[in-house]
Amino acid sequence: MLGDIIYKKLDELAEFSKDGEGVTRLPFTKEHKEAITWLEDLMNSANLTTKIDNIGNLIGEYKSPTKNAKTLVIGSHQDSVINGGKYDGALGIVLPIMCFKDFYETHGALNYNIKFIAFADEEGVSFQTAFLTSKAVVGSFTPDLLERVRYDGKTLKKSLENFGLNADISECKINDVDTFLELHIEQGPILDNKNLSLGIVDAIQGIERYHVEITGFAGHSGTIPMDMRRDAGVGAAFVISRITEFAENLKNIVVTVGCLELIPGAVNVIPGKSIFSIDIRAMDPLLIKTMVDKINSVLSETCEKRDLSFVLERKMKADSTICSKNVINMLEESMKSAGVPIFHMTSGAGHDAQEMATIMDAGMLFIRCKKGISHNKEESVMTEDIDVACKVLAEYFKCYK
Ligand code: HGY
Ligand code: MN
Ligand code: MN
């Protein structure tokens, strides 16, 4: 079955990763280059014409013989988080290409065009953003992002140049496109708990990400009395615990501090500086605003009390997205034709579909992942669910208009 073939292809793709646990494939790296070379072969085997745009997205095109045909865009991201799983992003690139190849060999020409996209950078791990390269595709990329600096001190601009890309990013904008469909693992436990293979996404929650720096004064851990310290590490600890408790009581919002650094980071030095990230998600933008106001007030109170100073900088914002009714209806029709139970849900995770929805009808189809585990090497899918997704996507190819 196609599910087994796709499963094995995803094992191959996962090999393009930095050493270490799970998959680490960050954008504009050796691993990214290897992955899109491999994906280009896969696209070519499906008779797609391929190109890499000026920000490293790989695009495979099927051109319909029909004049002035509509264009369906299908894709997801090639990049991973650090020590992530094999399926986050990758499944939404490989499955549609393999399913199209099988469909075209059986049914022949379509009366619409298809663009398959492997987005270079969705996770935002390298440049403290998210949906960086789908922003370029929809035309919302701003030149200031070129100055963002990644883990090795290189700016995005330099990283692109080293990757062989130094052209005008405004040329990445795609036009004359009608519908975007993204297949993606759910990254949550709902489908697994309900023993369902697939879910139609009705909405994707909004995201705001912040960079926080607290500055105190480095000192000797043995000689400075507790009441004379300006400990930036303790400042961070109080802030993180208070904003977490606030989010727990606020409900329908999630707040995560995924990165935390104490400087200078020596066992016998009072931290003079602490740097951490805050990732905030909710469907309701008012909840996010309430949370950001609380973060500001907790930072002010804590820093005043402990003679510290702080910087709170927003690094990215993506509005919550209501998925297109047209896409939802067509997914329902496809699931009905494939004899698959219809289930609607929302997405806790962010996706390129949020950017793509700013210029066209956009929707998502979720595929169960075991226990909802994701952003973890234990991430796993079943070949049976991949088969079910292929059946539904084939019906979608049939009914798309
Ligand atoms: O962070 C997210 O929600 C997604 O995995 N990019
Ligand atoms: Mn992810
Ligand atoms: Mn993803």
Side-chain angles (χ1 to χ4, degrees):
M1 297 286 275
L2 207 43
D4 295 311
I5 300 169
I6 291 168
Y7 191 85
K8 289 192 183 78
K9 289 283 179 195
L10 288 163
D11 279 344
E12 284 180 43
L13 181 54
E15 290 302 309
F16 306 125
S17 161
K18 271 181 77 148
D19 292 342
E21 284 201 339
V23 177
T24 303
R25 184 169 60 243
L26 301 181
F28 320 120
T29 59
K30 175 173 79 65
E31 298 77 30
H32 177 193
K33 184 76 83 181
E34 291 165 345
I36 52 178
T37 305
W38 183 90
L39 283 166
E40 218 161 12
D41 284 349
L42 189 73
M43 287 180 171
N44 292 330
S45 75
N47 296 309
L48 301 172
T49 50
T50 57
K51 71 166 187 173
I52 295 171
D53 72 8
N54 293 341
I55 199 163
N57 297 316
L58 170 63
I59 300 166
E61 288 202 67
Y62 163 75
K63 227 58 194 120
S64 165
T66 308
K67 288 257 161 293
N68 307 320
K70 284 185 76 167
T71 298
L72 170 63
V73 184
I74 301 187
S76 194
H77 57 97
Q78 70 79 34
D79 64 314
S80 71
V81 291
I82 297 167
N83 304 135
K86 295 179 182 176
Y87 309 103
D88 176 6
L91 180 66
I93 299 169
V94 173
L95 187 156
I97 295 168
M98 299 295 290
C99 185
F100 167 77
K101 180 172 187 303
D102 185 63
F103 185 87
Y104 184 69
E105 285 163 3
T106 318
H107 298 276
L110 302 176
N111 59 8
Y112 53 87
N113 308 311
I114 306 183
K115 280 182 195 285
F116 296 85
I117 306 184
F119 295 107
D121 181 349
E122 182 272 347
E123 298 285 3
V125 165
S126 299
F127 299 99
Q128 316 91 37
T129 55
F131 324 140
L132 183 69
T133 59
S134 48
K135 276 185 191 306
V137 165
V138 303
S140 65
F141 182 92
T142 49
D144 61 292
L145 290 167
L146 288 167
E147 299 318 312
R148 287 283 177 93
V149 177
R150 71 181 189 184
Y151 46 86
D152 59 359
K154 287 195 182 63
T155 60
L156 170 58
K157 186 170 184 303
K158 191 70 192 141
S159 307
L160 286 167
E161 284 166 6
N162 293 350
F163 199 66
L165 299 165
N166 50 15
D168 180 355
I169 288 177
S170 62
E171 285 164 16
C172 297
K173 167 105 172 57
I174 57 173
N175 303 298
D176 310 324
V177 285
D178 301 281
T179 311
F180 178 72
L181 177 63
E182 182 167 7
L183 282 80
H184 201 288
I185 52 169
E186 178 203 341
Q187 299 180 294
I190 296 168
L191 290 174
D192 202 16
N193 292 344
K194 289 187 174 296
N195 193 24
L196 290 169
S197 295
L198 307 179
I200 296 175
V201 178
D202 290 332
I204 309 168
Q205 66 178 348
I207 312 176
E208 288 193 18
R209 286 183 183 163
Y210 288 82
H211 171 89
V212 187
E213 290 193 14
I214 295 178
T215 305
F217 192 79
H220 194 298
S221 65
T223 56
I224 313 292
M226 292 307 280
D227 63 355
M228 289 176 66
R229 296 180 174 210
R230 295 176 57 206
D231 186 331
V234 168
F238 273 99
V239 168
I240 294 168
S241 59
R242 284 184 61 192
I243 64 174
T244 304
E245 279 170 359
F246 184 78
E248 286 161 350
N249 298 324
L250 194 56
K251 307 264 182 276
N252 300 318
I253 191 165
V254 285
V255 171
T256 311
V257 174
C259 307
L260 173 61
E261 188 185 359
L262 299 183
I263 296 166
V267 66
N268 58 352
V269 180
I270 300 165
K273 188 182 274 281
S274 56
I275 298 174
F276 56 96
S277 62
I278 306 178
D279 175 296
I280 310 165
R281 315 273 181 116
M283 274 311 294
D284 179 351
L286 270 183
L287 278 178
I288 294 183
K289 182 179 176 330
T290 307
M291 191 68 229
V292 174
D293 292 346
K294 182 67 180 176
I295 290 167
N296 255 308
S297 63
V298 166
L299 275 163
S300 308
E301 287 156 27
T302 307
C303 288
E304 196 182 318
K305 185 174 170 215
R306 295 178 170 275
D307 191 11
L308 303 166
S309 63
F310 75 91
V311 170
L312 174 68
E313 185 192 353
R314 191 173 74 188
K315 288 299 210 182
M316 70 77 67
K317 171 179 173 12
D319 294 335
S320 42
T321 300
I322 304 299
C323 294
S324 152
K325 229 26 208 135
N326 296 337
V327 178
I328 290 171
N329 293 342
M330 246 177 257
L331 284 171
E332 281 196 347
E333 194 185 321
S334 309
M335 289 171 92
K336 258 184 222 131
S337 317
V340 174
I342 291 172
F343 178 72
H344 289 259
M345 60 197 299
T346 58
S347 174
H351 296 285
D352 288 308
Q354 284 172 276
E355 285 298 329
M356 302 301 272
T358 61
I359 65 164
M360 68 182 112
D361 277 354
M364 294 191 76
L365 183 64
F366 271 172
I367 292 141
R368 167 172 41 184
C369 61
K370 193 153 166 260
K371 295 199 187 112
I373 297 170
S374 183
H375 285 189
N376 182 309
K377 68 176 178 9
E378 305 299 328
E379 194 177 87
S380 74
V381 293
M382 295 191 291
T383 54
E384 298 83 346
D385 289 343
I386 298 176
D387 275 326
V388 173
C390 288
K391 259 174 82 181
V392 170
L393 186 56
E395 292 301 329
Y396 192 93
F397 284 145
K398 269 185 213 155
C399 75
Y400 178 73
K401 52 188 175 298

